[in-house]
Amino acid sequence: MALAQTPAVSAARFTLRLTPGAWVGVATAVLAASMLAAIASPILHHVPAAPEDDAEYYRVIAANIARSGTSTFDGQTLTNGYHPLWAWILALQDRLVGPSFLITRLIETVAVCGGLALVLLRSPLKTGLGIVVALALYGRLVAGLALTGMEVSLLFGTTALLIWTLAPGRPEFPRSAVLIGLAAAAAVLSRIDAAVFVLPLVALAPLKRTTRLIALGTAAAVGAAYVGYNLAVFGSAMPLSSTVKSLGGLQLNHRLIDQFADDWRTSHLQGRYVQTAVLLALSPVLLAVSKRDSLGRALAGATLVGGAVFVAKLLFGSSWQIWPWYNFPVFFGLLAGIFVLGAPVEAWVARRAAALPAGVGSALAGLVLAALLAKAGLVLARTPAQPLTRFDEVNAQAIARFAPVLRGQRVAMGDRAGVFAARYPGGVTQMEGLVNDRAWLNALKTRAPLKPLLCARGVKFVLAYSRDLGSYRQAVVPAIRPRLSQFTAPALTLSSADEVGHVQDRSAFDMRGIGDEDDVLYLWRLTGCPG
């Protein structure tokens, strides 16, 4: 005769009991489902998913590397204006399966989800609820920066790999030290300015002195090889794009200050730049409460040192505003929080929940996972909103409308040249210098006249976004738009008589809502060149 089950017996039978490793697997699967939903939604609803304009610079250069072995954007000059590891991966993608943005987003998904799994498996979190809360924070702060075609997704994955090699419990011997150094080098090559976080992390990690020295020496050797190659091939130790953004020398970056103030004014603590600043500001607190000789202390110290250097560089050593992917330091702040506070918070929750029925924490974790999956389902079902600033559509209109005049001849263009170059059958000289060469950088730095250089490079037309010029005689087109940088760049003076035409489509591209009047794309002939 079967015994009747008491409520306590039933609860014990149906409690969700998973190992920490299983919880990590479930959390990673939920994150993957959410990212795949974001990828699939525009496909299902026939809405184009365009990469960032800066991502198109990568894609054009990667295509040239894959097809000709030449690191060039414009097809005639060599450039290193990119973070190398992401460009090499995109070149490999182009070579093997083609330049599909869908494939690129899947690569980003693997990097971001793999990064989450590696971090959680090495973290002190042992409960389902703690792991799921970490998932929610990771998805909000980190995964939200992915799927744009930029290098930050790869940075999250390579940094997580570094955490995996640094975590306590791994044997320390020369081969392991070399692996740590190679992982650190991979993270730096994913995004060069992440070095200010990565190298202090290795230096502060709880390693034996010999292991630390070998690891740092390995990373330094890879860095020296990269610098030497750059100097030999491109004439610039660091990417030309970073050098262009430092034009003007030591200064106070008013563009950045205004941008941060605007982010606070419009979003408060919901603003990405504000959230990054808050996490960096919390690093001294995390350092103070961290355990000695722990990976958490190393992460908190690296976040403190790296954050200070990173902010100082942007605030005093750059003349440009920044873009969302500059929020990558949130990853280091989040890691520091997980590794410093994870175990103490889980212990505190366990003490407070001791009187509650068994399985309550797992039930709460399950509810959070269900909510995240429901959100992914809504993303999949809902038609994605069309952005107001689809300058890729305006560029496409210009290519189609002016094709009989352009005939694939070389054009010069500054901001937003990435999307144009990705679709244009001819060469595009990038006037900002971000993916140009050393000679162009020198011209910007000395504010030399640009027309002789453009003529020498065979440029026949100039494209530029501008406010509506109305009835004008001359237009001044700076190489770098003043709204983006406070560095006064040299400019071209073009005549209305040389205008071929312009494209204005405020149904696809209307910048007035964000305080930018430059929403008309003009095309001029470049006249007056010798011969």
Side-chain angles (χ1 to χ4, degrees):
M1 179 177 177
L3 295 176
Q5 290 183 330
T6 65
V9 172
S10 299
R13 173 170 292 185
F14 294 106
T15 294
L16 183 62
R17 296 187 182 277
L18 299 177
T19 64
W23 275 113
V24 170
V26 172
T28 304
V30 169
L31 178 63
S34 299
M35 296 185 69
L36 291 173
I39 293 172
S41 178
I43 299 173
L44 293 176
H45 297 283
H46 307 289
V47 175
E52 295 281 354
D53 186 57
D54 283 37
E56 294 286 25
Y57 292 128
Y58 273 112
R59 288 155 63 83
V60 172
I61 294 169
N64 287 325
I65 293 174
R67 298 166 195 177
S68 68
T70 306
S71 178
T72 181
F73 174 78
D74 57 20
Q76 66 176 184
T77 62
L78 296 177
T79 188
N80 66 348
Y82 49 82
H83 299 287
L85 191 55
W86 184 234
W88 300 338
I89 288 176
L90 291 181
L92 183 63
Q93 175 201 325
D94 192 289
R95 185 68 177 267
L96 295 179
V97 296
S100 166
F101 183 47
L102 171 61
I103 300 298
T104 301
R105 299 183 97 188
L106 292 176
I107 293 172
E108 290 185 86
T109 300
V110 170
V112 172
C113 294
L116 174 68
L118 289 175
V119 166
L120 291 181
L121 286 173
R122 287 301 188 193
S123 77
L125 298 173
K126 301 303 178 186
T127 67
L129 186 58
I131 289 169
V132 169
V133 169
L135 159 68
L137 291 172
Y138 185 90
R140 173 66 180 87
L141 297 174
V142 175
L145 298 174
L147 304 183
T148 61
M150 296 300 292
E151 73 287 331
V152 289
S153 300
L154 181 63
L155 173 64
F156 301 149
T158 52
T159 303
L161 180 62
L162 175 60
I163 296 298
W164 175 270
T165 65
L166 287 174
R170 291 181 57 83
E172 293 189 31
F173 50 89
R175 184 184 299 174
S176 177
V178 170
L179 289 176
I180 293 171
L182 291 176
V188 173
L189 292 177
S190 298
R191 186 171 173 98
I192 300 299
D193 49 357
V196 300
F197 295 91
V198 171
L199 297 182
L201 173 57
V202 177
L204 296 171
L207 301 169
K208 294 178 181 178
R209 179 180 300 179
T210 302
T211 303
R212 181 181 296 107
L213 290 176
I214 293 174
L216 289 173
T218 301
V222 174
Y226 171 70
V227 169
Y229 176 78
N230 278 335
L231 287 172
V233 176
F234 306 106
S236 175
M238 289 291 104
L240 289 159
S241 53
S242 65
T243 310
V244 168
K245 291 182 178 180
S246 298
L247 289 173
L250 190 63
Q251 60 200 295
L252 182 62
N253 190 344
H254 296 283
R255 292 288 182 276
L256 180 64
I257 294 172
D258 292 342
Q259 189 175 15
F260 183 85
D262 184 63
D263 194 50
W264 170 256
R265 184 170 55 253
T266 58
S267 303
H268 296 288
L269 287 176
Q270 297 301 313
R272 282 205 175 273
Y273 302 116
V274 174
Q275 290 176 347
T276 300
V278 168
L279 275 176
L280 293 179
L282 289 175
S283 58
V285 178
L286 294 176
L287 183 63
V289 301
S290 61
K291 292 183 178 179
R292 290 176 58 86
D293 298 324
S294 67
L295 186 53
R297 172 160 288 196
L299 281 163
T303 303
L304 175 60
V305 173
V309 176
F310 181 73
V311 171
K313 172 62 171 65
L314 292 178
L315 193 58
F316 301 111
S318 174
S319 52
W320 286 62
Q321 70 172 52
I322 58 176
W323 286 265
W325 46 92
Y326 278 77
N327 288 291
F328 74 85
V330 299
F331 185 50
F332 294 90
L334 178 60
L335 288 178
I338 289 173
F339 277 79
V340 172
L341 301 178
V345 170
E346 281 190 329
W348 181 86
V349 171
R351 288 194 299 271
R352 295 298 182 276
L356 297 176
V360 170
S362 296
L364 288 175
L367 288 174
V368 174
L369 288 174
L372 293 174
L373 285 173
K375 182 179 179 182
L378 289 175
V379 168
L380 196 61
R382 194 166 47 225
T383 302
Q386 285 272 19
L388 295 176
T389 56
R390 295 189 62 83
F391 52 83
D392 54 328
E393 292 186 10
V394 178
N395 283 349
Q397 289 181 41
I399 292 171
R401 182 180 303 179
F402 302 130
V405 177
L406 292 172
R407 291 179 291 133
Q409 298 179 86
R410 181 167 296 279
V411 304
M413 187 176 184
D415 189 28
R416 304 165 187 147
V419 173
F420 190 90
R423 290 156 175 75
Y424 183 60
V428 178
T429 295
Q430 212 270 342
M431 291 178 61
E432 291 175 316
L434 299 176
V435 286
N436 214 307
D437 65 351
R438 181 77 200 192
W440 192 268
L441 171 65
N442 291 337
L444 293 178
K445 187 183 298 184
T446 60
R447 297 183 176 88
L450 296 179
K451 189 171 183 179
L453 198 52
L454 292 174
C455 290
R457 296 186 176 187
V459 172
K460 302 300 181 184
F461 297 90
V462 176
L463 278 160
Y465 279 88
S466 170
R467 60 181 174 82
D468 190 338
L469 297 174
S471 179
Y472 70 101
R473 294 182 58 188
Q474 290 184 326
V476 176
V477 177
I480 301 173
R481 293 174 60 213
R483 187 176 184 275
L484 301 182
S485 172
Q486 63 194 37
F487 176 75
T488 305
L492 288 171
T493 301
L494 301 164
S495 169
S496 61
D498 295 323
E499 182 187 327
V500 175
H502 60 270
V503 175
Q504 182 178 35
D505 183 355
R506 284 185 171 151
S507 66
F509 185 76
D510 188 352
M511 299 291 285
R512 294 171 298 173
I514 59 173
D516 187 348
E517 297 298 323
D518 293 350
D519 56 4
V520 184
L521 179 58
Y522 283 87
L523 176 66
W524 293 273
R525 296 182 188 274
L526 184 66
T527 58
C529 290

